[in-house]
Amino acid sequence: MAQAIPAGQKWWSGGKSPFNVEYGKLMMWYFLMSDSFTFGAFLISYGSIRFATNGWPDPNHVFRAFPFMGETNMPLVFVSLMTFILIMSSVTMVLAVAAGHNHDRKKVTFYMILTVIGGLMFLSCQAWEWWHLHSEGAWWGQNPFPNADGSKATTNFTNYFFTITGFHGFHVFSGVVINSIMLIKNLRGDFEKRGHYLMIEKAGLYWHFVDLVWVFVFTCFYLL
Amino acid sequence: MSTVETTSPSHASHDNAHTTFDAKPIWRTFWILLGITLVEITLATIHLKTGFPSKYILNGIYLILTCAKAFYIIAEFMHLRHEIKNMIMTIAIPALIFVWFIIAFLWDGSSYNALRNRYDAHYRDANNVKVAPPSEPTDKEHGSKEQ
């Protein structure tokens, strides 16, 4: 529900922010929008190449491993775990933002620590998955997986997989760095001195965006 | 210039709708996201075991569920639903370009594929050369092949 605005409020007559949002937060939104076009371009390029190819590897065959389980056939299990970790860290991020609204510095610290841990867990999972695929012979320019119908696959599959999950992983990495900086600033009491926790909120927007992109990466690479 | 900025940040966090950041809707959103993901995985597993919902229907379901998840993340976690309508529109309307973007590029891709299959015999025949047995949902024979 859009926020209730008093009737006759003239938002554009000057003297107030027309969107009732702080400048930095608005710019974060527009940055994220532009970033979504970057990811969108990647994923749509992936889609159009996939549509322009006769066969494609079966994701349930490629992504069937789980750490420390040896040769298993567990499609979707590991990536579900990764999805769960990312959603969970998104939740702790909102809780940190909510705590910031209540000027509860201790709670902000607590939830920011959890968020950073969630991000690191996700990155570890991704590192393992990349390592595992690489040990099976998959990398940029090499694709050991045949198409689902048994014909020889092109390297498009691995190229797109590593590029897009790598770009997303880099976003997660920078998100972890940003969240760590926010955590340190919060520990130093910077936000308390400033009187508001809007920086946590802006970092939170970025972090949720990373989660949002993962929702699409998950669907495009693992489900479809 | 700072006098123009009457919506000072400390102000903003106190006396408007932003203060409705309580824990209940957050957890509700969490359960919704988790539930949708579990439904997706369950459907995928059922498809693997029985092949029942055909891949086309399933893909449609996945896309709808993905958009639902995206909506909840943007609206609740990123709090966009609670902003002023004009601001929502400056973000939502440009994002609508994606609708055209996706349709146009996927259409283009499949048209290119159809043209190549019709006019490029080498391309068409390459697809009939099998390097491995077609992968079954529960295949085991690939594990040793790759070493």
Side-chain angles (χ1 to χ4, degrees):
Chain A
M1 226 33 62
Q3 179 187 330
I5 301 164
Q9 174 91 275
K10 290 195 170 58
W11 290 94
W12 295 93
S13 58
K16 59 177 83 68
S17 160
F19 290 158
N20 201 20
V21 171
E22 191 238 359
Y23 176 80
K25 195 174 152 188
L26 189 62
M27 292 306 120
M28 179 53 101
W29 266 109
Y30 291 146
F31 162 69
L32 293 179
M33 197 170 69
S34 71
D35 215 16
S36 77
F37 280 105
T38 312
F39 272 110
F42 273 146
L43 285 172
I44 290 166
S45 155
Y46 161 81
S48 80
I49 289 294
R50 194 168 164 174
F51 269 64
T53 314
N54 277 326
W56 202 256
D58 176 10
N60 292 315
H61 167 61
V62 177
F63 308 110
R64 68 190 186 288
F66 197 86
F68 315 116
M69 298 289 282
E71 265 300 321
T72 51
N73 187 25
M74 301 165 75
L76 287 168
V77 179
F78 188 53
V79 72
S80 313
L81 177 69
M82 287 168 75
T83 307
F84 176 72
I85 290 171
L86 212 53
I87 291 179
M88 206 54 225
S89 83
S90 230
V91 171
T92 57
M93 186 77 232
V94 205
L95 291 172
V97 172
H101 274 282
N102 300 328
H103 293 259
D104 190 340
R105 186 174 146 201
K106 276 213 180 102
K107 259 193 173 169
V108 172
T109 308
F110 175 68
Y111 286 125
M112 286 309 285
I113 290 173
L114 287 185
T115 310
V116 169
I117 291 173
L120 290 175
M121 279 166 73
F122 181 84
L123 283 175
S124 321
C125 289
Q126 200 166 35
W128 183 85
E129 184 169 52
W130 275 41
W131 170 81
H132 178 77
L133 288 172
H134 184 248
S135 72
E136 287 188 320
W139 202 237
W140 277 278
Q142 22 185 111
N143 179 11
F145 306 110
N147 287 332
D149 63 2
S151 57
K152 189 169 168 27
T154 64
T155 58
N156 286 333
F157 172 71
T158 43
N159 290 345
Y160 274 108
F161 175 78
F162 285 112
T163 304
I164 294 176
T165 58
F167 200 68
H168 175 263
F170 185 70
H171 272 73
V172 177
F173 173 74
S174 33
V176 168
V177 171
I178 291 168
N179 285 344
S180 308
I181 295 171
M182 292 306 134
L183 175 61
I184 292 165
K185 281 175 80 69
N186 186 48
L187 286 171
R188 281 161 36 112
D190 287 6
F191 304 131
E192 204 166 56
K193 262 177 249 155
R194 205 177 290 173
H196 61 83
Y197 285 74
L198 272 175
M199 286 298 279
I200 298 278
E201 215 169 295
K202 287 175 235 174
L205 282 180
Y206 183 78
W207 190 248
H208 297 313
F209 177 75
V210 167
D211 186 19
L212 178 67
V213 170
W214 180 254
V215 165
F216 286 95
V217 172
F218 172 68
T219 304
C220 290
F221 280 100
Y222 297 90
L223 291 180
L224 293 181
Chain B
M1 283 310 282
S2 61
T3 50
V4 176
E5 191 88 16
T6 52
T7 312
S8 75
S10 58
H11 220 87
S13 58
H14 271 307
D15 49 348
N16 59 29
H18 289 258
T19 36
T20 57
F21 239 124
D22 58 314
K24 211 176 153 197
I26 298 174
W27 285 107
R28 198 180 64 109
T29 311
F30 166 73
W31 288 115
I32 290 171
L33 291 176
L34 191 66
I36 293 176
T37 308
L38 287 178
V39 168
E40 284 175 340
I41 292 160
T42 313
L43 283 175
T45 312
I46 292 171
H47 176 78
L48 277 181
K49 300 276 184 241
T50 66
F52 158 56
S54 80
K55 198 69 192 161
Y56 280 107
I57 296 171
L58 211 52
N59 285 352
I61 296 173
Y62 289 150
L63 288 178
I64 292 165
L65 292 178
T66 302
C67 290
K69 279 206 278 191
F71 171 80
Y72 276 106
I73 291 173
I74 295 170
E76 293 295 341
F77 281 178
M78 298 171 90
H79 223 239
L80 187 61
R81 210 158 68 95
H82 307 277
E83 304 291 356
I84 284 176
K85 203 174 171 196
N86 288 346
M87 179 183 158
I88 298 175
M89 287 307 153
T90 62
I91 292 157
I93 290 173
L96 282 180
I97 296 171
F98 273 121
V99 175
W100 162 79
F101 206 20
I102 293 167
I103 294 172
F105 276 78
L106 296 190
W107 200 309
D108 211 30
S110 68
S111 145
Y112 181 49
N113 196 33
L115 286 174
R116 276 204 294 178
N117 277 326
R118 185 177 308 156
Y119 296 112
D120 184 345
H122 173 73
Y123 175 77
R124 183 180 55 233
D125 295 341
N127 195 47
N128 297 325
V129 181
K130 306 293 178 197
V131 294
S135 78
E136 288 301 314
T138 51
D139 58 335
K140 287 172 183 74
E141 64 269 61
H142 291 314
S144 53
K145 198 194 120 284
E146 278 141 19
Q147 298 308 317

